[in-house]
């Protein structure tokens, strides 16, 4: 198939929900990918932070294919050792107590919202505070949780009971916590909102505040999780433990998964029948996730992510067209002095580099396993594109 044929098929048969770039990829290895014509691209996207071990990592692919050849799915009436082992390993890596598995970030957040509602139910507290500029998903409830009006437009009415507080303003947030609030939900680094890291004092203060008011602190680790910020979960970098953490994107290294993790206080919050997911905990997906967790939770692996993030940041800051770089680990937002982020993304693709945007920033989410050589190739293409702006 030619590229034009693929594009025509997309135009005709796929709902137009994405602003696409003129690239169709057919093969990838770590941080390199190729289109059907054999043109090579350096990948600074990981598919929006999903392929954390890069494209088609051999050990990950073997774990997935091996499980597909044993038993690919079973209904949640029955036990699966891939599923139970992943839950244990994830609890060890995160400091949480129990997991619920589903298939996406939005679903993991839906589960968190149900937990919060159930926790607050006895004292009639059902409201949830989220942050201005946050992003929590595309379902009607997670859209309501998303503190950006642009996403709400055309889809009202949304789920009730969400309040929005500006990030960093602990006092303002404290004032919202009257008796009707059961939980606060935040991202450690706002991803879609423009790669905005939370202030450490704010996150720690929020932990204390939530404890004092008996309000759950829930961290959306969907983008920041699984090593992305140089810690297994970003809250570990802030030195706190939330009551609920949601995980998805990178968790299974490229297969659909979501997980909602709860701490000891919320052990067995649901009764059987109160939450479920047909595909949740699927053994093929769990086999992939176990390979990811096994490698990413290693302290040396996480230290390398921080070092590579530091390296990229320093190199980017040295470019004359770059105004500032912000983020944590290998979750980086780059503000340019001039030039639209989207135009730069298109030009990078033409030049053989895949990048993302977040608001008006260029966003880099490279595979955590990216090599020095791949980083340098990508950086040199990026520098060249900026020069020709
Ligand atoms: C991507 C994202 C989501 C939504 O995840 P899906 O898997 O697309 O449903 C939720 N929260 C954050 C922080 C995200 O980055």
């Amino acid at each position: 198939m030619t590229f034009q044929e693929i594009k025509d098929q997309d135009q005709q048969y796929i709902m137009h929900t994405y602003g696409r770039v003129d690239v169709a990829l057919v093969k990838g290895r770590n941080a390199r990918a190729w289109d059907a014509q054999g043109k090579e691209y350096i990948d600074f996207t990981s598919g929006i932070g999903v392929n954390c071990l890069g494209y088609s990592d051999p050990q990950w692919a073997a774990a997935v294919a091996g499980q597909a050849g044993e038993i690919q799915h079973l209904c949640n009436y029955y036990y699966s050792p891939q599923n139970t082992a992943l839950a244990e390993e994830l609890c060890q890596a995160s400091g949480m107590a129990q997991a619920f598995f589903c298939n996406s970030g939005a679903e993991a957040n839906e589960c968190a919202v149900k937990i919060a509602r159930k926790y607050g139910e006895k004292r009639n507290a059902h409201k949830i505070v989220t942050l201005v500029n946050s992003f929590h998903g595309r379902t009607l409830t997670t859209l309501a949780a998303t503190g950006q009006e642009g996403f709400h437009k055309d889809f009202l009415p949304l789920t009730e009971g969400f309040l929005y507080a500006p990030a960093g303003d602990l006092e303002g947030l404290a004032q919202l916590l009257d008796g009707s609030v059961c939980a606060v939900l935040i991202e450690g680094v706002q991803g879609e909102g423009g790669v905005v890291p939370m202030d450490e004092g704010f996150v720690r203060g929020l932990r204390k505040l939530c404890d004092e008011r008996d309000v759950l602190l829930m961290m959306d680790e969907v983008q920041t999780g699984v090593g992305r910020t140089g810690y297994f979960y970003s809250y570990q970098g802030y030195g706190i433990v939330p009551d609920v953490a949601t995980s998805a994107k990178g968790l299974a290294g490229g297969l659909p998964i979501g997980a909602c993790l709860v701490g000891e206080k919320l052990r067995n919050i649901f009764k059987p029948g109160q939450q479920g997911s047909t595909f949740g905990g699927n053994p093929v997906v769990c086999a992939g996730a176990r390979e990811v967790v096994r490698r990413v939770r290693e302290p040396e692996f996480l230290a390398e992510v921080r070092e590579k993030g530091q390296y990229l940041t320093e190199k980017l800051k040295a470019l004359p067209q770059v105004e500032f770089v912000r983020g944590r680990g290998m979750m980086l937002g780059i503000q340019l002095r001039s030039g639209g982020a989207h135009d730069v993304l298109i030009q990078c693709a033409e030049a053989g580099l895949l990048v993302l945007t977040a608001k008006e920033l260029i966003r880099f989410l490279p595979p955590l396993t990216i090599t020095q050589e791949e980083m340098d190739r990508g950086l040199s293409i990026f520098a060249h594109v900026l020069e020709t702006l």
Side-chain angles (χ1 to χ4, degrees):
M1 253 175 127
T2 66
F3 177 72
Q4 195 55 48
E5 283 167 338
I6 299 169
K7 196 169 169 177
D8 290 346
Q9 215 168 35
D10 177 277
Q11 283 291 310
Q12 181 72 13
Y13 295 108
I14 294 194
M15 289 200 205
H16 296 178
T17 64
Y18 306 106
R20 296 211 206 261
V21 184
D22 280 354
V23 174
L25 299 174
V26 296
K27 193 177 172 71
R29 283 290 176 274
N30 206 38
R32 293 185 305 158
W34 297 272
D35 67 16
Q37 282 67 48
K39 175 175 168 185
E40 185 179 293
Y41 299 84
I42 296 292
D43 179 51
F44 280 0
T45 72
S46 311
I48 317 196
V50 169
N51 305 319
C52 55
L53 302 180
Y55 290 115
S56 301
D57 174 82
Q59 279 167 288
W60 173 87
V64 169
Q67 184 58 42
E70 291 297 326
I71 182 168
Q72 85 277 34
H73 179 78
L74 47 107
C75 102
N76 275 308
Y77 292 4
Y78 310 113
Y79 295 95
S80 154
Q82 291 291 11
N83 173 314
T84 53
L86 174 62
E88 179 175 2
E89 288 150 9
L90 207 46
C91 286
Q92 286 166 350
S94 65
M96 303 301 273
Q98 284 184 320
F100 171 78
F101 291 118
C102 48
N103 315 288
S104 67
E107 272 180 277
N109 285 334
E110 288 268 348
C111 179
V113 169
K114 282 179 75 172
I115 289 168
R117 289 269 178 92
K118 189 159 183 215
Y119 183 75
E121 201 251 325
K122 277 185 215 74
R123 56 183 167 93
N124 223 352
H126 73 277
K127 292 187 189 152
I128 297 174
V129 176
T130 68
L131 298 182
V132 173
N133 197 44
S134 58
F135 181 83
H136 298 295
R138 300 284 191 163
T139 62
L140 288 174
T141 296
T142 55
L143 271 183
T146 294
Q148 302 188 54
E149 249 172 57
F151 286 99
H152 297 180
K153 197 182 155 292
D154 293 348
F155 303 109
L156 303 175
L158 306 175
T159 303
E160 289 174 34
F162 287 90
L163 305 171
Y164 313 106
D169 178 6
L170 200 57
E171 272 173 38
L173 202 152
Q175 288 185 350
L176 292 178
L177 301 187
D178 59 16
S180 67
V181 172
C182 56
V184 177
L185 172 66
I186 68 163
E187 296 157 89
V189 182
Q190 291 182 334
E192 302 308 309
V195 194
V196 186
M198 293 300 106
D199 191 71
E200 191 173 309
F202 175 67
V203 176
R204 290 187 178 205
L206 193 56
R207 175 66 282 183
K208 199 160 159 272
L209 180 67
C210 288
D211 281 336
E212 285 163 7
R213 307 284 180 96
D214 191 20
V215 164
L216 298 179
L217 177 58
M218 313 202 293
M219 299 279 298
D220 179 341
E221 294 277 357
V222 170
Q223 189 161 154
T224 49
V226 197
R228 178 53 56 188
T229 67
Y231 296 88
F232 194 84
Y233 284 123
S234 75
Y235 60 77
Q236 293 162 320
Y238 289 108
I240 63 132
V241 184
D243 301 298
V244 178
T246 58
S247 194
K249 290 198 166 87
L251 182 53
L255 291 173
I257 189 170
C260 182
L261 307 170
V262 296
E264 211 47 69
K265 171 158 106 180
L266 296 168
R267 178 178 284 282
N268 299 336
I269 177 96
F270 289 126
K271 287 197 200 62
Q274 289 197 317
Q275 180 64 326
S277 164
T278 298
F279 285 114
N282 170 281
V284 175
V285 176
C286 287
R290 289 186 67 195
E291 180 62 21
V292 169
V293 173
R294 184 179 72 77
R295 280 158 63 182
V296 173
R297 68 187 282 204
E298 285 300 322
E300 304 79 57
F301 187 99
L302 292 169
E304 260 183 43
V305 173
R306 296 194 292 271
E307 281 157 24
K308 290 181 206 174
Q310 197 62 41
Y311 179 77
L312 288 169
T313 303
E314 275 162 25
K315 292 285 173 189
L316 288 166
K317 278 186 173 163
L319 298 175
Q321 302 84 356
V322 169
E323 190 172 330
F324 64 78
V325 182
R326 68 183 174 207
R328 293 276 186 276
M330 279 210 276
M331 177 172 184
L332 298 173
I334 302 136
Q335 176 69 57
L336 301 177
R337 293 189 198 281
S338 66
H342 189 72
D343 296 337
V344 172
L345 179 153
I346 304 277
Q347 288 187 42
C348 283
E350 273 169 24
L353 174 67
L354 306 176
V355 301
L356 300 162
T357 62
K359 290 274 171 71
E360 266 314 297
L361 280 72
I362 303 285
R363 177 172 40 158
F364 286 179
L365 301 174
L368 305 179
T369 51
I370 191 167
T371 63
Q372 183 67 44
E373 197 200 334
E374 289 163 339
M375 282 195 289
D376 287 337
R377 267 230 19 81
L379 283 167
S380 115
I381 297 171
F382 190 63
H384 185 73
V385 166
L386 294 188
E387 274 166 28
T388 58
L389 276 185

